[in-house]
Amino acid sequence: MKLSDRLSILNGIGEVQAKKFEGLGIKTLADLINYYPRKYDDYSHVVKIKDLRPGPVSLKVNIKNITARYARGRGLHITEAIASDNSGSVRVVWFNQPYRAKYFKSGQIYFLSGKYELKNNHFTITNPTVEVVSDLPTNTARILAVYPETKGLDSSQIRKAMAQTLPVMNTIPESLPDFTIKDQKLLNRSQSIRALHMPTSTEELDEAKRRLGFEEVFEFSLASLLNKQDNQTETALSIEFKQELARQFAESLPFKLTDSQRIAVWKIYQDMQKPVPMNRLVEGDVGSGKTVVAVMAALMVMADHKQVALMAPTEILARQHAVTIYALLQPLGLENKLTLLVGSLTKQQKTSAYKAIREGKATFIIGTHALIQEDLDMHNLALVIVDEQHRFGVNQRLTLAAKAGHTPHILSLSATPIPRSLALTLYGELDITRLDEKPAGRSDVITQIVYSSGVKDLYVKIDKEIDSGRQVFIVCPAINQSDLIQVKSSKEVFDSFSSGVFKHRKVDLLHGQMKSDLKQAVMESFIAGKIDILVATTVIEVGVDIPNASIMVVMSPERFGLAQLHQLRGRIGRGSHQGYFYMLLDNSEAPMRRLRALERYSDGFKLAELDLEFRGPGAIYGTYQHGALDLRIANLTDKKLINAAVSAAQQFIERQEQLSKYAILSRKINKLRTVTNLN
Ligand code: ADP
Ligand code: MG
């Protein structure tokens, strides 16, 4: 038996079963071993029948008086039996398992595990698992792993297959360096995997999870650190720091920089003076003033006669940036150095932009991500600024480096705060600066959960805001009605608003399945104030600036994650008007912790930490736009574990360990190094 064997070599797995396993992505023994339990049921304590208490129980019993019948009215096969030990007996029932009737031999002792509960006035054990007594039971009298199941394939069948892989599990080689295992007193890999599927005690299970969680974080962290190390061996254009220019710019602003903006700018200047590429992430809530920081970075590059490119995720955002940045550069007479390069330019505009860039007349180029694919002469490109959402991956950096002959400094701006433990694990290759201060005079968006009973008042409020010239966002989670869950779709809401309560207003619709030029047209007419109420899906999530929008109503807010709701909230209250954020819940739905957290906190960093706490162990952080982060065991709220694993990864590098000496680890790390950078 070996890891690459097909599942069908196991007993009891024919073609039909194998297909079902395939449905879960399991084809080989390795896939099976890699299929992790979702939770555990503790059936390890075998009790006497006289001591039975309602709940999950395990017994050691004879099984007698077996009867089987078909209850036509209920369409059920019912198999009943009496289970007894020397202290008493109890009734056992199985539904739709007619084969049970022939299974039992008299005189045989069985382990029986199931739920003891009151059914039709009788205490009964319903649908228990049963096995002949042994030292190593699979489906009874132990801590039982519960797996994600599928139709016709339940956890007891998965456990039966899993138990047969024991011989290969026992040969799984170690992947962690010796020193980590010794320092942290970790179980070895093979023991841990076995214990994860077939724990012999809760202590053993905890140790197995600690080991496997450590491994996950160690690997992510090591991959990040190695990326960082590589980055340090590349060369960048060093940028001279001109203090007078920075001072002049700061004085031209209509406001005072916050301390955190000042610190961020200072760090960036220090980074860029070195001939080593900067790779810095500035994170700060929406409105924390990232644009000014970026422009100050760009300023030094322009003054040094080199080029800077700012990449935004959408054309609308690129255009908005161009307008804002033009105004910021004007007092210094640098606005003519700016050029916008987006898909919708005419051929003529494009040609002249290219010319300006080539001749060095334009040194600040603003566009979308497509910028780096353009056939542009970027040999003088010293700094790339990436706005919102996407990290700039190694691959993109290499594309540019290949073009320019050097690696640009990278400054990423993000409004999605990353909890510290996550940043440590995953973003190890980045230097992170937080803008954790709100610019003065900014008031919090008023945030409230509204029940359907309060909808009328809400509509009145919306009308009032529109009367005083404001605009409104209505956000819906899905575009069409789902069969399973009644979710108010954007189309439905749009129809009912535009022909009902708000038929006297200009209502429009924006969703992801619209053609992109239509989307852009709708967005632009909203920006221009031609629409009162915009019903939209989360396509509006990314950094659009509509200072005149003061109210946002989120339908079915329970369908959104905390980070996402916070992002949405950031779209409003950006002007001088008070912002309102309403989460509309049906009366029947209990408000969840995360909605309450939003009512209570406006600080994105605080909310990010809470989000992590609420999701608990094993959460997959899709919200961080990071498909690669698949921590299946590690709990990122376990600070001790995270710190130990991260510092072990640092030690690995400090000790100048050769990754190539660790065959398995190096394979895993190399895979992570490419995916963690493909964003
Ligand atoms: P972000 O990109 O971080 O969401 P912006 O850079 O768009 O935020 O800034 C939001 C608004 O705050 C802009 O109108 C900007 O001019 C203003 N702003 C930036 N820094 C300050 C500051 N220190 N004091 C007051 N207003 C500021
Ligand atoms: Mg911004």
Side-chain angles (χ1 to χ4, degrees), residues 255-258 261 285-291 439 442 574:
F255 45 75
K256 256 184 76 187
L257 291 174
T258 63
Q261 280 173 319
D285 262 333
V286 169
S288 59
K290 295 184 287 291
T291 315
R442 196 76 52 76
R574 288 169 70 96

Side-chain angles (χ1 to χ4, degrees), residues 477-488:
I479 62 146
N480 283 314
Q481 188 155 338
S482 141
D483 294 336
L484 295 172
I485 312 154
Q486 285 274 323
V487 177
K488 291 199 178 74

Side-chain angles (χ1 to χ4, degrees), residues 285-287 289-291 317 321 387-388 413 415 543 571 574:
D285 262 333
V286 169
K290 295 184 287 291
T291 315
L317 277 172
H321 272 309
D387 188 33
E388 305 281 3
L413 311 176
R571 300 291 122 239
R574 288 169 70 96

Side-chain angles (χ1 to χ4, degrees), residues 166 459 536 571:
L166 210 57
Y459 290 166
R571 300 291 122 239

